[in-house]
């Protein structure tokens, strides 16, 4: 499975868009990009996934570059409750392997 | 049940004792995962089940750790001769086969004293 690289931390003002980058330059053609988040003291929560097209759901949008070497998770209107560690994972099948993720701090 | 259930939620054990941690996945979910999360650290993959077979045991840290799964339901993670470094939250997740959305339980907080 492809290795992903994320910044260790990011800050965002409440109500603004949070754009979380992920680099997966070694991703192969059949590997999906998944995003999860972990709010303090809780188990991780699935957010969104994609292969090559941009995706949107009620939680977030996922923008994948045309060469698939990187992606961005967008939380359009961040709230205090979005403060969490966000994990970007690239894999094809089997188990989700979590890296260190990005700690997003949303402040008022 | 509505979600992944793990028991006990908290466990304090003496060093050298064996412990069993239980995970009840969402009904119908054929894939089941165990992770370990030490305080302030990321999630460490332990083992993955597809049905009752474990195609990937690569994350089990030592032969003191073992896991089994009955059919496509409950799984038990056993830690023998516990050590203080085993202290962590043990998380279980389940998903439909080859489905990207894994649902996590609230974890079992294990403290070895």
């Amino acid at each position: 499975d492809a290795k992903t690289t994320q910044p260790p931390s990011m800050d965002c003002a409440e109500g603004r868009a949070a754009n979380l980058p992920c680099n997966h330059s070694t991703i192969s053609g059949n590997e999906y990009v998944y995003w999860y988040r972990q709010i303090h003291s809780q188990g991780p929560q699935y957010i969104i996934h994609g292969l090559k097209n941009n995706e949107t759901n009620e939680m977030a949008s996922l923008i994948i570059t045309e060469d698939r070497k990187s992606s961005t998770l967008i939380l359009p209107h961040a709230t205090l409750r979005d403060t969490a560690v966000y994990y970007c994972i690239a894999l094809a099948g089997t188990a989700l392997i979590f890296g260190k993720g990005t700690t997003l701090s949303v402040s008022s | 049940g509505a979600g992944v259930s793990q028991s006990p939620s908290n466990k304090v054990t003496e060093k050298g004792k064996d412990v069993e941690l239980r995970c009840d996945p969402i009904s119908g979910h054929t894939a089941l995962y165990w992770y370990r999360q030490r305080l302030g650290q990321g999630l460490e993959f332990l083992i993955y089940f597809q049905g009752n077979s474990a195609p990937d045991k690569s994350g089990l840290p030592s032969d003191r750790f073992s896991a089994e799964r009955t059919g496509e339901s409950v799984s038990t993670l056993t830690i023998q001769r516990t050590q203080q470094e085993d202290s962590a939250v043990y998380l279980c997740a389940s998903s439909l086969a080859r489905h990207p959305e894994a649902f996590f339980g609230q974890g079992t907080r294990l403290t070895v004293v």
Side-chain angles (χ1 to χ4, degrees):
Chain A
D1 300 325
K3 176 180 170 58
T4 61
T5 305
Q6 298 177 254
S9 63
M10 292 184 66
D11 295 317
C12 181
E14 189 177 23
R16 305 296 295 266
N19 298 293
L20 293 100
C22 179
N23 187 294
H24 33 79
S25 58
T26 61
I27 196 169
S28 61
N30 64 339
E31 287 181 316
Y32 283 76
V33 179
Y34 298 80
W35 283 84
Y36 277 72
R37 74 180 182 183
Q38 186 174 24
I39 295 171
H40 183 61
S41 299
Q42 298 182 20
Q45 175 191 24
Y46 166 84
I47 302 173
I48 199 167
H49 77 284
L51 184 62
K52 52 186 174 182
N53 297 322
N54 297 337
E55 302 287 344
T56 295
N57 63 20
E58 65 279 3
M59 289 183 69
S61 294
L62 174 60
I63 308 298
I64 303 174
T65 58
E66 193 168 339
D67 63 8
R68 301 206 332 118
K69 292 183 185 296
S70 65
S71 61
T72 301
L73 178 75
I74 301 172
L75 307 179
H77 304 288
T79 71
L80 299 178
R81 288 174 294 182
D82 292 322
T83 292
V85 180
Y86 287 77
Y87 298 96
C88 169
I89 303 164
L91 88 157
T94 62
L96 294 163
I97 306 296
F98 291 79
K100 297 187 185 303
T102 295
T103 298
L104 175 68
S105 299
V106 181
S107 57
S108 56
Chain B
V4 177
S5 177
Q6 292 187 245
S7 60
S9 55
N10 281 284
K11 175 73 176 178
V12 179
T13 189
E14 290 181 354
K15 179 180 171 181
K17 299 281 191 184
D18 298 352
V19 294
E20 281 191 356
L21 312 180
R22 178 186 170 105
C23 173
D24 284 274
I26 292 172
S27 178
H29 281 193
T30 57
L32 186 145
Y33 316 82
W34 282 99
Y35 295 86
R36 177 171 73 178
Q37 188 167 35
R38 292 190 170 114
L39 186 64
Q41 303 296 312
L43 282 89
E44 180 184 0
F45 168 74
L46 298 179
I47 190 169
Y48 156 69
F49 285 93
Q50 182 58 47
N52 61 5
S53 66
D56 191 345
K57 303 180 182 179
S58 62
L60 292 177
S62 76
D63 59 5
R64 296 187 296 105
F65 287 72
S66 64
E68 62 179 28
R69 188 178 184 195
T70 306
E72 293 184 349
S73 60
V74 65
S75 175
T76 303
L77 177 69
T78 301
I79 309 173
Q80 296 179 308
R81 306 181 302 281
T82 52
Q83 304 294 314
Q84 287 186 327
E85 63 262 28
D86 299 334
S87 295
V89 175
Y90 290 81
L91 288 157
C92 174
S94 71
S95 68
L96 295 170
R98 298 189 176 278
H99 194 279
E101 185 171 4
F103 293 83
F104 282 78
Q106 289 301 303
T108 293
R109 181 175 300 279
L110 175 67
T111 304
V112 182
V113 298

